[in-house]
Amino acid sequence: MSRRAKIRRKTKETEIDLSLNVDGRGGYRVKTPIPFLNHMMELFSRHGLFDLEIKAKGDVDVDDHHLVEDVGLALGEAFKKALGDKNGIRRYGSATLPMDETLTTVAIDFSGRPSFVYRTPLKGGRIKSFDVELVEHFFEAFTNSAAVNLHVNVLYGRIKHHIVESIFKAFAKSGDQATSIDPRVKGVPAIV
């Protein structure tokens, strides 16, 4: 069974070509005009063992918002398409991940129902030129497009870069766990 997807998303503001192999080895080729987004997508690929290619451009001369949000939408759509009927997946995944002074827990459920909770000490600011408020928008877009329950809880942290990096790494680890095939599972684990 091949769990792969290719997504092409073209809007007035952005143009994205994204390919995903859920059963990859963590290989990536990511090219957007937002260096910090590239870094986070590379970490996501490597730590989730997802093969990921993204080629994206957009109206970043105005703001990074559209491109960050649309990459989140495209990634969510790719997971939804690649997982198909979700037969045999574990469905649930969670990871608690330390990153120096930061500790983050991310839990995900490929339920088919979007619900997003985001609790973090990040109240704004920038990492170089990247607006940290866009992290929440990325994950909200992913949640709606993939139709998952996603809970991001930063228990504590001080350095913005460490907080965001821990979120993306925990997201990768929990996503890998939830999308893994378990030979004992028949169909999709449902609430009974």
Side-chain angles (χ1 to χ4, degrees):
M1 160 173 55
S2 176
R3 298 190 309 158
R4 300 171 184 255
K6 288 185 185 234
I7 304 298
R8 177 153 176 76
R9 180 176 175 81
K10 186 173 173 135
T11 69
K12 186 175 152 192
E13 295 90 9
T14 66
E15 189 172 332
I16 299 167
D17 287 302
L18 185 148
S19 72
L20 171 70
N21 177 2
V22 174
D23 301 311
R25 296 178 180 263
Y28 57 84
R29 247 184 290 171
V30 178
K31 184 175 173 153
T32 81
I34 307 171
F36 190 74
L37 178 62
N38 294 345
H39 181 48
M40 292 304 106
M41 292 291 88
E42 291 164 358
L43 289 173
F44 170 74
S45 172
R46 191 172 357 171
H47 289 274
L49 299 173
F50 303 117
D51 290 343
L52 182 65
E53 291 185 25
I54 303 172
K55 186 176 177 187
K57 59 185 178 180
D59 61 349
V60 294
D61 54 321
V62 174
D63 188 73
D64 292 347
H65 178 95
H66 292 134
L67 192 59
V68 171
E69 183 177 39
D70 285 8
V71 168
L73 288 168
L75 184 63
E77 187 179 343
F79 269 95
K80 193 172 187 179
K81 184 176 178 184
L83 294 176
D85 65 6
K86 299 182 257 184
N87 191 32
I89 69 167
R90 293 180 185 264
R91 181 176 156 180
Y92 303 96
S94 66
T96 298
L97 194 132
M99 175 80 191
D100 297 338
E101 85 298 342
T102 300
L103 187 65
T104 298
T105 297
V106 172
I108 192 166
D109 173 10
F110 281 84
S111 64
R113 298 178 313 275
S115 182
F116 178 56
V117 176
Y118 186 76
R119 293 192 176 118
T120 171
L122 289 174
K123 301 301 177 209
R126 295 190 173 277
I127 300 170
K128 205 161 184 184
S129 63
F130 185 83
D131 184 348
V132 297
E133 290 178 353
L134 297 178
V135 174
E136 182 175 4
H137 291 297
F138 173 89
F139 286 111
E140 187 172 33
F142 174 86
T143 297
N144 290 327
S145 185
V148 298
N149 291 180
L150 180 63
H151 293 253
V152 175
N153 289 290
V154 179
L155 303 169
Y156 46 82
R158 208 176 53 255
I159 298 170
K160 288 187 218 52
H161 190 122
H162 294 168
I163 292 170
V164 176
E165 188 166 324
S166 71
I167 292 169
F168 274 90
K169 287 178 177 177
F171 173 56
K173 294 287 189 190
S174 62
D176 179 43
Q177 184 182 71
T179 60
S180 293
I181 299 290
D182 185 329
R184 300 169 298 171
V185 174
K186 302 299 180 223
V188 180
I191 299 170
V192 288

